[in-house]
């Protein structure tokens, strides 16, 4: 797998039915190891082990429904009262972070109305703080530590 701009960690990888699988600590199961999943697992590890985010407040593959359409957020951080606080969207390291990616996460945010949007391809990471009062957002220079959100 690609080297990322995130701390490495001891991953648990197995082969099942000729597919490489990686252990997802949040879902507590092995999932297919894709380039996007590689980014997700490293990013979640970064948030929980370096930025102070509690594992129990994070969820992967959060399903949303808009009419008949089902959407899936890559990761969501919840607050103390189970309210969504942050959405994280992952792309494979070879996928550029473009306006289309921000449009995708914005659709999720129309439903969840979070404080922060984060997009990462494992190499480049962007974090926006939402300002609903002024209908604006502010790009932050870095992802905030948990105690600062």
């Amino acid at each position: 797998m690609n080297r990322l701009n995130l701390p490495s960690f001891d991953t648990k990888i197995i082969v099942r039915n000729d597919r490489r699988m990686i252990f997802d600590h949040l879902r507590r199961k092995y999932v297919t190891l894709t380039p996007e999943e590689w980014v997700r697992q490293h990013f979640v590890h970064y948030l929980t082990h370096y930025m102070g985010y509690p594992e129990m407040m994070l969820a992967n593959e959060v399903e949303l429904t808009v009419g008949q359409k089902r959407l899936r957020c890559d990761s969501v951080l919840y607050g103390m009262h189970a309210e969504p606080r942050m959405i994280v969207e992952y792309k494979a390291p070879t996928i550029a972070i473009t306006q289309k990616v921000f449009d995708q996460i914005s659709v999720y945010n129309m439903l969840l109305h979070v404080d922060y949007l984060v997009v990462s391809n494992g190499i480049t990471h962007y974090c926006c703080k939402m300002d609903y009062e002024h209908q604006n957002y502010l790009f932050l220079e870095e992802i905030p530590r948990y105690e600062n959100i």
Side-chain angles (χ1 to χ4, degrees), residues 6 26-27 35-45 47 58-61 73-76 86-93 95 97 101 104-105 108 118-122 124-125:
L6 292 162
L26 298 184
R27 290 180 273 182
E36 183 178 307
E37 193 62 47
W38 184 248
V39 173
R40 179 195 334 258
Q41 295 308 316
H42 279 78
F43 204 89
V44 167
H45 180 265
L47 290 177
L58 285 162
N60 284 339
E61 295 288 324
C73 293
D74 288 337
S75 294
V76 175
M86 176 186 284
I87 302 170
V88 187
E89 178 65 26
Y90 308 106
K91 296 297 176 195
I95 304 296
I97 305 296
V101 177
Q104 178 183 2
I105 199 170
Y108 304 152
V118 177
V119 178
S120 176
N121 64 3
T124 306
H125 324 292

Side-chain angles (χ1 to χ4, degrees), residues 96-115:
I97 305 296
T98 63
Q99 183 61 49
K100 185 177 178 181
V101 177
F102 283 98
D103 292 345
Q104 178 183 2
I105 199 170
S106 294
V107 169
Y108 304 152
N109 196 36
M110 283 192 251
L111 298 169
L112 297 180
H113 207 73
V114 299
D115 300 320

Side-chain angles (χ1 to χ4, degrees), residues 3 11 18 44 65-66 87 91 102 104 106 131 143-144:
R3 185 168 172 82
T11 57
D18 294 328
V44 167
T65 305
V66 180
I87 302 170
K91 296 297 176 195
F102 283 98
Q104 178 183 2
S106 294
D131 179 356
I143 295 159

